[in-house]
Amino acid sequence: MKSLDVARTALGNTMRSKLRTALTVLAIVIGAFTLTITSGLAAGINQTVDDMVAGYGEEDQLFVMPAAAMGMGEDTGPGPQEYDPDAARAESEFGQAMLSEADIETLESIEGVTNVDPIFFVSPDYMEIDGTQYTFSDIGFPADAPAMELVAGEAPAREAAEITIPETWLTVFDENAEDYEEVDPEIALGQTVEIGISNMVYEQDTVEAEIVGVSTQNLAGIGGSPMPSHALNDELYEIQNSGLDIEREDAFVQAVVDVENLAENEQAIKDALQEEGMLGMTLEDMLGIIQSVIDAIAYVLYGFAIIALLAASFGIVNTLLMSVQERTREIGLMKAMGMSSGKVFGLFSTEAVLIGIFGSVIGAGLGLIAGFAANGALTAPGGPLGNVGGLTLFALNVPILVLTMILIIVIAFLAGTLPATRAAKKDPIEALRYE
């Protein structure tokens, strides 16, 4: 019997007991479906993160902030901690740990650092659009502007008094719109707004700015609030820090540090920052937290899928053992007509492999259909995740998908070796006498 004949016979044998075969295939389908969904989810989120990192530009940059602001200050053990007047004053004024001018000088002195761009913390009172004032206390950091996902316009120019607004603000430009999705984002571009901010003695002043872009919030949260240019942010800070006769030391919420050859110097500079009580992170580091959570969830789902496949393998063993028992006389006849034990083993192994192929193809197909359908429904405008810019929830990872199908087929083959071995070892004389 040629290999093609073996495959054709195996296919016919799997169809003898359709219900039993269908139930066995269904168990494999569940595992294949779960593996496909899980790998697609991990691929989608990782693709989103990669796109965001790639979109940030080619500059080698670290975002530096006080380690205490991230809950990673020096562990002094039990008991009271030594008083640091500069840190205490900055934290009392701004509600969080801040970088001082001395910290900026320290950053500039670190070997490998080519430029330090400190970012002031500002808290405006309102933004006035067409004569109406809107609460405006949450504002983005200018250094994050290149990572924004824009639906219209462009990022603010560094030296101009420009700002972007989130797309959720678009309803202020169309009083008849019930939802921001009904408003063309181009309508906001070129509009002049006034930003009100209070100084140290609660006297308000205003600054004019031009809206140059409309953003949507991405996976890292960037773009969900108005984003000022560096020049606008600095001007707002000067007003916020004025009003007293005494000169106050500047404090910075973070600093963007350009590093020469970041790939080689990253760890050395991070270690130097840690010694100075500061924390340096790349955008990839920050987004890596999201990746870690998704990967952890993926590993759990992978585990459940593997368990399902192992359970399905016992179904294959049971199905083929019953098939061997039912076809004992047939096996005896084939061997009596000269069919070798190896061909008999190959026949039943091929049946197991076919069951694996059926289950993997159907499961992977259903997984891809469900994954892409869910991605479209959830991330489309108006969907539950439609306001997360640049989000890809599910993506096709061809290598992982192929490996998944190969894994399932291998598991099916291994599950079929026991019944196939038993069939191959049957004595033809005894098999022909079997009732």
Side-chain angles (χ1 to χ4, degrees):
M1 185 179 286
K2 297 180 180 180
S3 299
L4 183 59
D5 294 327
V6 170
R8 187 183 296 112
T9 303
L11 179 59
N13 290 336
T14 56
M15 296 294 103
R16 284 188 178 185
S17 180
K18 293 183 177 58
L19 179 59
R20 188 166 63 200
T21 300
L23 292 174
T24 306
V25 169
L26 179 60
I28 297 176
V29 167
I30 294 172
F33 178 86
T34 306
L35 283 174
T36 302
I37 289 291
T38 302
S39 63
L41 176 64
I45 298 300
N46 289 331
Q47 178 180 310
T48 299
V49 172
D50 291 342
D51 290 345
M52 290 174 63
V53 173
Y56 195 74
E58 300 299 327
E59 292 183 273
D60 292 335
Q61 293 183 327
L62 284 174
F63 296 83
V64 178
M65 58 209 75
M70 300 294 290
M72 299 178 65
E74 182 180 357
D75 185 5
T76 58
Q81 300 181 17
E82 185 175 346
Y83 175 69
D84 183 343
D86 292 335
R89 180 167 56 253
E91 189 164 349
S92 65
E93 291 176 355
F94 297 98
Q96 66 180 69
M98 304 286 282
L99 295 175
S100 64
E101 292 181 348
D103 292 328
I104 301 301
E105 293 176 0
T106 299
L107 290 174
E108 293 172 336
S109 67
I110 294 177
E111 185 178 357
V113 172
T114 59
N115 182 62
V116 179
D117 189 7
I119 304 298
F120 294 110
F121 174 81
V122 297
S123 181
D125 300 327
Y126 65 86
M127 180 186 292
E128 185 172 318
I129 303 174
D130 292 337
T132 303
Q133 295 178 351
Y134 300 94
T135 300
F136 180 49
S137 58
D138 186 19
I139 190 170
F141 299 138
D144 294 335
M148 282 193 304
E149 185 79 17
L150 293 168
V151 296
E154 58 189 11
R158 185 181 184 88
E159 302 300 330
E162 297 178 345
I163 194 169
T164 66
I165 62 170
E167 61 180 351
T168 52
W169 283 39
L170 289 174
T171 51
V172 305
F173 297 100
D174 188 348
E175 60 183 14
N176 297 318
E178 297 181 358
D179 190 88
Y180 69 88
E181 295 174 358
E182 301 176 4
V183 184
D184 182 0
E186 298 286 341
I187 195 175
L189 303 183
Q191 298 275 2
T192 299
V193 298
E194 286 193 352
I195 301 170
I197 188 168
S198 299
N199 63 14
M200 297 299 298
V201 292
Y202 302 105
E203 296 173 342
Q204 280 189 337
D205 200 352
T206 59
V207 176
E208 284 192 352
E210 180 186 355
I211 298 176
V212 295
V214 180
S215 63
T216 182
Q217 181 171 311
N218 63 22
L219 194 61
I222 298 172
S225 56
M227 180 73 70
S229 64
H230 285 267
L232 178 59
N233 195 72
D234 292 350
E235 186 175 357
L236 291 171
Y237 179 80
E238 289 179 6
I239 296 174
Q240 178 178 273
N241 208 37
S242 66
L244 296 178
D245 294 335
I246 59 173
E247 185 176 347
R248 299 173 67 244
E249 183 178 345
D250 288 331
F252 312 93
V253 67
Q254 65 174 237
V256 182
V257 176
D258 294 338
V259 179
E260 183 179 6
N261 198 353
L262 181 62
E264 293 184 6
N265 299 327
E266 180 178 346
Q267 193 55 51
I269 292 179
K270 285 182 176 180
D271 292 341
L273 291 172
Q274 190 171 7
E275 292 178 3
E276 298 294 336
M278 291 179 279
L279 178 68
M281 300 179 70
T282 63
L283 181 64
E284 194 168 2
D285 289 333
M286 293 184 280
L287 294 174
I289 298 172
I290 300 172
Q291 284 181 303
S292 298
V293 173
I294 295 299
D295 288 343
I297 296 172
Y299 291 142
V300 172
L301 294 178
Y302 280 137
F304 283 123
I306 295 299
I307 292 173
L309 290 176
L310 291 176
S313 69
F314 289 108
I316 293 174
V317 172
N318 180 65
T319 297
L320 293 183
L321 282 176
M322 293 178 66
S323 180
V324 170
Q325 188 73 15
E326 293 171 354
R327 293 154 57 192
T328 299
R329 288 175 61 85
E330 179 184 330
I331 294 170
L333 181 61
M334 288 188 295
K335 299 191 76 173
M337 294 178 66
M339 190 173 187
S340 66
S341 296
K343 288 291 186 180
V344 173
F345 179 88
L347 177 62
F348 282 88
S349 295
T350 302
E351 292 180 29
V353 169
L354 286 173
I355 291 174
I357 292 174
F358 292 153
S360 61
V361 170
I362 295 172
L366 292 175
L368 291 175
I369 293 172
F372 284 116
N375 181 74
L378 294 174
T379 62
L385 300 176
N387 60 344
V388 181
L391 175 61
T392 300
L393 195 62
F394 184 90
L396 175 61
N397 188 327
V398 175
I400 295 297
L401 183 63
V402 172
L403 286 175
T404 297
M405 298 181 71
I406 292 175
L407 172 64
I408 293 171
I409 293 171
V410 169
I411 290 176
F413 172 77
L414 293 176
T417 55
L418 176 60
T421 301
R422 178 170 294 186
K425 288 183 176 180
K426 282 191 175 295
D427 182 86
I429 303 300
E430 293 183 2
L432 287 170
R433 289 175 181 172
Y434 182 79
E435 296 292 339

